[in-house]
Structure formats: C-alpha cells, structure tokens
C-alpha cells in the first residue's frame, strides 16, 4: 500500500508539534503554520484519540515501530491506530493547504 504524497510532510509537522505542545518556539512562519495546522486538526479528536496520536508521533523510533508499541501498551489492534493516523494526516494536509 502506498502512502499519500503529503504523509511525510505531515509526519514531520506532527513530530515537532507532539514534542512542543506547550509554548513552542518558531524559527520560521512555515514552522508556525505547520504547528497551528496540527493544533487545529487535533481539536477535532477525542481526548483518547489525541493521546494515541501524540504517543505515536512523539516517540523517536519509526512511525511503524511507534504504532506497534502504542498498540501493545493500549491493547489495541494496530489497524485501528493506522486508520486514526490516516484520517488525522488527511485533515492536517487539508488545513495546511496541501489538498
């Protein structure tokens, strides 16, 4: 299965967002716009979903490994997390003007 063209960009944005949720420092307007696109997208999800999303993107391993670890800890099917991330990344891409 192929990933959408925007997936790597959104993942980059979310790694920064998930590690800087409180009072981030922006080096550029692009960083600021990326952070706010992620922030606005997160508002559409429940607290439980937000926790899963942040847990996946804030870790320092690959996304696939992070999904595996989060699924194991939360006793969830990995496909549930992948579906959540797929929907989330699409929302961020729209908010960022990529779609």
């Amino acid at each position: 299965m192929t990933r959408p063209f925007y997936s790597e960009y959104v993942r980059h944005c979310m790694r920064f967002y998930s590690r800087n949720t409180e009072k981030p420092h922006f080096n550029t307007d692009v960083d600021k716009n990326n952070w706010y696109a992620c922030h606005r997208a997160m508002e559409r999800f429940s607290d439980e979903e937000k926790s899963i999303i942040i847990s996946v993107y804030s870790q320092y391993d690959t996304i696939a490994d992070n999904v595996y670890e989060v699924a194991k800890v939360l006793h969830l099917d990995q496909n549930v997390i992948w579906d959540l991330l797929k929907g989330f990344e699409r929302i961020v891409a729209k908010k960022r003007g990529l779609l």
Side-chain angles (χ1 to χ4, degrees), residues 48-57 70 74 76 81 84:
E48 182 181 357
E49 291 169 327
K50 288 177 190 177
S51 177
I52 292 168
I53 292 167
I54 294 292
S55 294
V56 168
Y57 289 109
V70 171
L74 298 177
L76 291 173
I81 297 175
L84 175 64

Side-chain angles (χ1 to χ4, degrees), residues 2 11 14 23 27 33 44 54 82 87 96:
T2 62
R11 289 175 182 185
M14 265 310 290
K23 295 189 179 183
N27 292 325
N33 292 336
R44 300 181 68 176
I54 294 292
W82 282 116
R96 197 59 188 97

Side-chain angles (χ1 to χ4, degrees), residues 5-94:
F5 70 91
Y6 54 79
S7 190
E8 284 302 315
Y9 186 82
V10 171
R11 289 175 182 185
H12 168 77
C13 297
M14 265 310 290
R15 285 189 182 271
F16 178 77
Y17 176 84
S18 66
R19 296 171 188 164
N20 298 281
T21 57
E22 300 295 322
K23 295 189 179 183
H25 170 73
F26 305 114
N27 292 325
T28 66
D29 285 342
V30 172
D31 289 343
K32 183 177 180 181
N33 292 336
N34 291 342
W35 191 92
Y36 278 104
C38 294
H39 185 72
R40 287 190 305 274
M42 289 291 280
E43 292 173 344
R44 300 181 68 176
F45 292 87
S46 70
D47 288 342
E48 182 181 357
E49 291 169 327
K50 288 177 190 177
S51 177
I52 292 168
I53 292 167
I54 294 292
S55 294
V56 168
Y57 289 109
S58 64
Q59 296 180 35
Y60 290 89
D61 213 336
T62 66
I63 296 296
D65 287 341
N66 294 346
V67 167
Y68 172 80
E69 288 299 325
V70 171
K72 189 169 71 170
V73 168
L74 298 177
H75 306 289
L76 291 173
D77 186 313
Q78 290 182 51
N79 291 323
V80 171
I81 297 175
W82 282 116
D83 289 344
L84 175 64
L85 297 181
K86 184 169 67 171
F88 175 77
E89 287 178 1
R90 184 164 177 79
I91 292 168
V92 173
K94 284 183 179 179

